[in-house]
Amino acid sequence: MLNRVVVTGLGALTPLGLNVQDFWKNILNGKSGAANITSFNTEKFKTQFACELKNFNAEEYIDKKELRKIDLFSAYALIATEEAIQDCALNLDEVNLDECGVIWGSGVGGLKTMIQEIGSFVKGGENPRFSPFFIPKMISDIAAGLISIKYSFKGPNFATVSACASSTHSIIDAYNYIALGNASLIVCGGSEASINEAGVGGFNALRALSTRNDNPQMASRPFDKDRDGFVLGEGAGALILEDYNHAVQRGAKIYCEVTGTGVSADAYHLTAPHPEGLGAYNVMKKTLKQAKKEYNEIDYINVHGTSTQLGDVTEINAIKKLFGESVYNINISSTKSMTGHLLGAAGAIESIATILAIQNNCIPPTINLDNLDPKLDPKINYTANQFQKRIVTNALCNTFGFGGHNASILFSALK
């Protein structure tokens, strides 16, 4: 019999707030995190805006000397994790550290470090050299290692890398380790720091990003007929997953329970979703089957909803196919309309939004949805432009990644 797994801590570092409280307040208010890019000169780029962190200074959280040794995506990970650890009121002296682990996702890892080090090498003249911190700063697994070192967590420790599904896979892996009795508590989530020349230039080359430079705050518009691509975001989301009995014994507050998880592959294309949404359909079906939930028991779906022409339509069609008539009683929303797309960190941030929807019985909106794509069913409730109050008992969170990686999690109010 599997152990029950619950969520006991949350941490968020986002374009809409540098902590969970501010993040939740701003997504309920329908605020956009998009603005002109400040971290580099965008004059030569087709896209000149993104969802950067606002009023953020890493030195307020981490010693300046230590910051030189780590990439920004690792700094984001450490900061979000510290909030989650504080939130779950974990006393490190009173838990078995051998049963505490870290599973962390990042789709890209230290991209900024890669740019800087190769640039320095090329400019090195007769004596080019790399920093001894180059590899440890760049590799995607290092954030998990740094978190483990900081808190002396000696249980499972590794990284998940599955493009934009990375942090959702990290949560699913954490769930599996705890459910099978191989850990009592795991920090999971993801971080990404890809708003730089390579990140923007690379996605521009794919024609994946919106180029609405005249009005960035209106650029991320899932399901709207005038959408023209996603908006790049940055930040981190951290969750503390815990064995239910372990959480109860230490008197932890419990946000909700993880009742179902699913993974699947499109097996179709490098970047495009399966045209019939088969991977999305299968992953949601698997998740509900594991959770032993009926289709009419689902109240809310936080969709992948990136604001791309193909992705939005195929996901909604997959939801319609799976849920049938029950779909008309479900709230659907894409919080990417506000946060932008945090790539490998997207699933963690959206899981936090989904969990808070359960906690507060309130559905965050899909902003900028002014004219529904005529390919989409107008009878579905897309939670357009304003939050909606309703009882939320079971909420699904979908995340899909380049390469056809699909991941879905069902969060449920604790019974």
Side-chain angles (χ1 to χ4, degrees):
M1 184 175 178
L2 296 176
N3 296 329
R4 295 175 68 184
V5 181
V6 295
V7 179
T8 58
L10 302 174
L13 189 66
T14 80
L16 294 178
L18 307 183
N19 54 64
V20 170
Q21 181 178 356
D22 289 345
F23 165 66
W24 179 245
K25 178 184 70 176
N26 285 325
I27 64 168
L28 282 191
N29 289 333
K31 184 176 180 180
S32 170
N36 290 333
I37 292 170
T38 62
S39 56
F40 67 95
N41 186 345
T42 61
E43 185 179 350
K44 298 180 180 180
F45 292 81
K46 293 179 181 178
T47 296
Q48 300 175 348
F49 61 93
C51 289
E52 293 179 304
L53 299 184
K54 314 296 188 300
N55 302 312
F56 173 76
N57 181 0
E59 292 180 20
E60 294 179 6
Y61 302 87
I62 301 171
D63 180 75
K64 187 175 182 179
K65 183 178 179 181
E66 293 303 311
L67 278 173
R68 296 195 192 101
K69 303 175 185 177
I70 63 175
D71 188 85
L72 202 53
F73 94 99
S74 292
Y76 292 169
L78 289 166
I79 293 165
T81 296
E82 177 63 22
E83 183 184 10
I85 292 288
Q86 294 295 324
D87 185 44
C88 81
L90 186 66
N91 187 331
L92 298 176
D93 295 325
E94 295 180 357
V95 294
N96 184 348
L97 298 175
D98 291 340
E99 294 183 0
C100 297
V102 184
I103 304 175
W104 198 262
S106 181
V108 181
L111 188 59
K112 184 175 182 180
T113 293
M114 175 75 81
I115 296 168
Q116 291 173 337
E117 287 296 323
I118 291 178
S120 295
F121 180 82
V122 170
K123 295 175 183 177
E126 294 182 1
N127 297 298
R129 54 183 295 191
F130 287 108
S131 164
F133 294 112
F134 174 28
I135 299 301
K137 286 176 69 174
M138 177 196 69
I139 50 180
S140 295
D141 73 296
I142 205 66
L146 289 166
I147 295 167
S148 170
I149 292 166
K150 180 175 180 179
Y151 299 102
S152 297
F153 290 162
K154 301 178 180 70
N157 181 252
F158 60 92
T160 51
V161 181
S162 49
C164 303
S166 297
S167 58
T168 306
H169 278 126
S170 81
I171 299 168
I172 292 171
D173 279 357
Y175 166 84
N176 288 331
Y177 271 88
I178 296 170
L180 292 170
N182 294 319
S184 297
L185 180 150
I186 294 181
V187 177
C188 54
S191 56
E192 211 75 270
S194 297
I195 301 176
N196 48 49
E197 295 88 341
V200 174
F203 282 115
N204 268 158
L206 282 171
R207 299 181 181 178
L209 295 182
S210 170
T211 56
R212 196 183 288 256
N213 294 314
D214 60 333
N215 196 350
Q217 294 196 339
M218 300 290 286
S220 185
R221 44 195 319 111
F223 319 129
D224 190 273
K225 73 178 181 64
D226 296 320
R227 65 193 184 279
D228 70 328
F230 73 82
V231 177
L232 199 58
E234 65 176 349
L239 292 80
I240 308 296
L241 263 56
E242 194 165 351
D243 174 87
Y244 171 74
N245 291 327
H246 187 268
V248 170
Q249 286 170 7
R250 69 178 190 86
K253 72 177 177 189
I254 295 175
Y255 282 98
C256 64
E257 183 172 2
V258 180
T259 51
T261 66
V263 293
S264 76
D266 282 353
Y268 172 72
H269 190 271
L270 283 176
T271 58
H274 192 284
E276 297 174 22
L278 293 183
Y281 173 89
N282 287 334
V283 79
M284 290 185 287
K285 186 174 182 179
K286 289 178 180 180
T287 302
L288 268 62
K289 181 180 179 180
Q290 185 188 57
K292 299 180 180 178
K293 301 292 183 184
E294 300 296 330
Y295 300 130
N296 61 6
E297 293 183 85
I298 306 306
D299 304 300
Y300 170 48
I301 305 175
N302 187 304
V303 294
H304 188 56
T306 55
S307 186
T308 58
Q309 288 291 331
L310 286 176
D312 291 4
V313 173
T314 55
E315 183 176 10
I316 294 300
N317 287 343
I319 290 170
K320 276 192 66 176
K321 180 181 177 182
L322 179 64
F323 286 90
E325 289 298 312
S326 295
V327 74
Y328 301 117
N329 297 317
I330 297 172
N331 274 80
I332 288 169
S333 75
S334 171
T335 48
K336 285 188 181 74
S337 60
M338 296 169 280
T339 65
H341 191 354
L342 274 74
L343 306 179
I349 289 297
E350 288 151 23
S351 289
I352 291 171
T354 306
I355 291 164
L356 293 175
I358 294 172
Q359 275 280 296
N360 296 280
N361 290 311
C362 191
I363 310 294
T366 304
I367 68 167
N368 298 327
L369 181 46
D370 302 321
N371 298 291
L372 185 69
D373 187 329
K375 301 186 188 75
L376 297 174
D377 188 340
K379 294 186 293 181
I380 290 175
N381 186 351
Y382 300 95
T383 322
N385 298 314
Q386 192 162 2
F387 72 81
Q388 294 178 16
K389 296 288 290 183
R390 68 172 288 175
I391 300 298
V392 185
T393 303
N394 298 297
L396 196 65
C397 186
N398 289 339
T399 320
F400 313 135
F402 281 179
H405 310 297
N406 306 307
S408 187
I409 304 175
L410 186 69
F411 298 101
S412 300
L414 192 69
K415 291 185 178 179

